[in-house]
Short mmCIF file of all heavy atoms in Angstrom, two decimals:
data_model
loop_
_atom_site.label_atom_id
_atom_site.label_comp_id
_atom_site.label_asym_id
_atom_site.label_seq_id
_atom_site.Cartn_x
_atom_site.Cartn_y
_atom_site.Cartn_z
N PRO O 671 -1.27 -2.51 -15.33
CA PRO O 671 -1.42 -1.30 -16.14
C PRO O 671 -1.52 -1.63 -17.62
O PRO O 671 -1.12 -2.71 -18.07
CB PRO O 671 -0.15 -0.50 -15.82
CG PRO O 671 0.85 -1.53 -15.43
CD PRO O 671 0.08 -2.62 -14.73
N PHE O 672 -2.07 -0.72 -18.38
CA PHE O 672 -2.18 -0.89 -19.83
C PHE O 672 -2.11 0.49 -20.48
O PHE O 672 -2.31 1.53 -19.85
CB PHE O 672 -3.50 -1.57 -20.21
CG PHE O 672 -4.67 -0.64 -20.28
CD1 PHE O 672 -5.09 -0.10 -21.49
CD2 PHE O 672 -5.35 -0.24 -19.13
CE1 PHE O 672 -6.16 0.79 -21.56
CE2 PHE O 672 -6.41 0.63 -19.19
CZ PHE O 672 -6.83 1.15 -20.41
N ALA O 673 -1.89 0.47 -21.82
CA ALA O 673 -1.89 1.68 -22.62
C ALA O 673 -2.26 1.29 -24.04
O ALA O 673 -1.90 0.21 -24.52
CB ALA O 673 -0.53 2.38 -22.59
N ALA O 674 -3.00 2.17 -24.74
CA ALA O 674 -3.46 1.86 -26.08
C ALA O 674 -3.58 3.16 -26.88
O ALA O 674 -3.99 4.20 -26.36
CB ALA O 674 -4.80 1.14 -26.05
N TYR O 675 -3.21 3.06 -28.18
CA TYR O 675 -3.30 4.20 -29.07
C TYR O 675 -3.95 3.73 -30.37
O TYR O 675 -3.66 2.65 -30.89
CB TYR O 675 -1.91 4.80 -29.36
CG TYR O 675 -1.92 5.83 -30.46
CD1 TYR O 675 -2.38 7.12 -30.22
CD2 TYR O 675 -1.49 5.49 -31.74
CE1 TYR O 675 -2.40 8.07 -31.24
CE2 TYR O 675 -1.50 6.43 -32.77
CZ TYR O 675 -1.97 7.72 -32.51
OH TYR O 675 -2.00 8.65 -33.52
N ASP O 676 -4.81 4.62 -30.97
CA ASP O 676 -5.47 4.31 -32.23
C ASP O 676 -5.59 5.58 -33.06
O ASP O 676 -5.86 6.66 -32.51
CB ASP O 676 -6.87 3.73 -31.98
CG ASP O 676 -7.60 3.40 -33.25
OD1 ASP O 676 -7.42 2.28 -33.78
OD2 ASP O 676 -8.39 4.25 -33.73
N MET O 677 -5.37 5.43 -34.37
CA MET O 677 -5.56 6.52 -35.33
C MET O 677 -6.54 6.06 -36.40
O MET O 677 -6.36 4.99 -37.00
CB MET O 677 -4.25 6.94 -35.98
CG MET O 677 -4.44 8.04 -37.03
SD MET O 677 -2.93 8.44 -37.95
CE MET O 677 -2.02 9.30 -36.65
N ASP O 678 -7.54 6.90 -36.67
CA ASP O 678 -8.57 6.59 -37.64
C ASP O 678 -8.66 7.74 -38.63
O ASP O 678 -8.76 8.91 -38.21
CB ASP O 678 -9.90 6.38 -36.93
CG ASP O 678 -11.04 6.11 -37.89
OD1 ASP O 678 -11.26 4.94 -38.24
OD2 ASP O 678 -11.73 7.09 -38.28
N ILE O 679 -8.65 7.43 -39.93
CA ILE O 679 -8.78 8.44 -40.96
C ILE O 679 -9.86 7.99 -41.93
O ILE O 679 -9.95 6.80 -42.29
CB ILE O 679 -7.45 8.72 -41.70
CG1 ILE O 679 -6.90 7.43 -42.29
CG2 ILE O 679 -6.43 9.34 -40.75
CD1 ILE O 679 -5.65 7.64 -43.12
N ARG O 680 -10.69 8.99 -42.41
CA ARG O 680 -11.83 8.69 -43.28
C ARG O 680 -11.84 9.68 -44.43
O ARG O 680 -11.54 10.88 -44.25
CB ARG O 680 -13.14 8.75 -42.50
CG ARG O 680 -13.20 7.75 -41.35
CD ARG O 680 -14.39 7.94 -40.46
NE ARG O 680 -14.37 6.96 -39.37
CZ ARG O 680 -15.03 5.81 -39.37
NH1 ARG O 680 -15.80 5.50 -40.41
NH2 ARG O 680 -14.92 4.99 -38.36
N SER O 681 -12.25 9.18 -45.56
CA SER O 681 -12.24 10.03 -46.76
C SER O 681 -13.29 11.12 -46.65
O SER O 681 -13.06 12.25 -47.14
CB SER O 681 -12.47 9.18 -48.01
OG SER O 681 -13.71 8.49 -47.94
N TYR O 682 -14.46 10.85 -46.06
CA TYR O 682 -15.48 11.91 -45.97
C TYR O 682 -15.15 12.92 -44.87
O TYR O 682 -15.88 13.90 -44.71
CB TYR O 682 -16.87 11.32 -45.75
CG TYR O 682 -17.07 10.49 -44.50
CD1 TYR O 682 -17.37 11.10 -43.29
CD2 TYR O 682 -16.98 9.11 -44.54
CE1 TYR O 682 -17.57 10.36 -42.16
CE2 TYR O 682 -17.17 8.35 -43.40
CZ TYR O 682 -17.47 8.97 -42.21
OH TYR O 682 -17.66 8.23 -41.08
N GLN O 683 -14.04 12.70 -44.15
CA GLN O 683 -13.52 13.71 -43.21
C GLN O 683 -12.18 14.26 -43.69
O GLN O 683 -11.39 14.79 -42.90
CB GLN O 683 -13.37 13.09 -41.81
CG GLN O 683 -14.69 12.78 -41.15
CD GLN O 683 -14.53 12.15 -39.77
OE1 GLN O 683 -13.55 11.46 -39.51
NE2 GLN O 683 -15.49 12.40 -38.89
N GLN O 684 -11.94 14.17 -45.01
CA GLN O 684 -10.72 14.66 -45.64
C GLN O 684 -9.46 14.05 -45.01
O GLN O 684 -8.40 14.69 -44.92
CB GLN O 684 -10.62 16.19 -45.59
CG GLN O 684 -11.63 16.93 -46.48
CD GLN O 684 -13.04 16.89 -45.88
OE1 GLN O 684 -13.24 17.12 -44.69
NE2 GLN O 684 -14.02 16.64 -46.75
N PHE O 685 -9.58 12.82 -44.58
CA PHE O 685 -8.46 12.06 -44.02
C PHE O 685 -7.80 12.78 -42.84
O PHE O 685 -6.58 12.69 -42.62
CB PHE O 685 -7.42 11.72 -45.08
CG PHE O 685 -7.96 10.77 -46.13
CD1 PHE O 685 -8.27 11.27 -47.39
CD2 PHE O 685 -8.15 9.43 -45.86
CE1 PHE O 685 -8.76 10.42 -48.38
CE2 PHE O 685 -8.63 8.58 -46.84
CZ PHE O 685 -8.96 9.06 -48.11
N THR O 686 -8.61 13.47 -42.07
CA THR O 686 -8.08 14.10 -40.87
C THR O 686 -7.79 13.04 -39.82
O THR O 686 -8.66 12.21 -39.52
CB THR O 686 -9.08 15.12 -40.31
OG1 THR O 686 -9.36 16.10 -41.32
CG2 THR O 686 -8.55 15.79 -39.06
N PRO O 687 -6.60 13.01 -39.23
CA PRO O 687 -6.30 11.99 -38.22
C PRO O 687 -7.17 12.18 -36.97
O PRO O 687 -7.23 13.28 -36.40
CB PRO O 687 -4.82 12.21 -37.91
CG PRO O 687 -4.28 12.96 -39.07
CD PRO O 687 -5.41 13.81 -39.56
N ASN O 688 -7.84 11.11 -36.59
CA ASN O 688 -8.61 11.09 -35.36
C ASN O 688 -7.85 10.22 -34.37
O ASN O 688 -7.79 8.99 -34.51
CB ASN O 688 -10.01 10.52 -35.61
CG ASN O 688 -10.76 11.28 -36.69
OD1 ASN O 688 -10.76 12.52 -36.71
ND2 ASN O 688 -11.39 10.54 -37.61
#
Side-chain angles (χ1 to χ4, degrees):
F672 83 97
Y675 170 78
D676 180 86
M677 177 186 288
D678 177 88
I679 56 176
R680 300 171 181 264
S681 59
Y682 60 85
Q683 291 179 330
Q684 290 75 45
F685 294 105
T686 301
N688 304 315

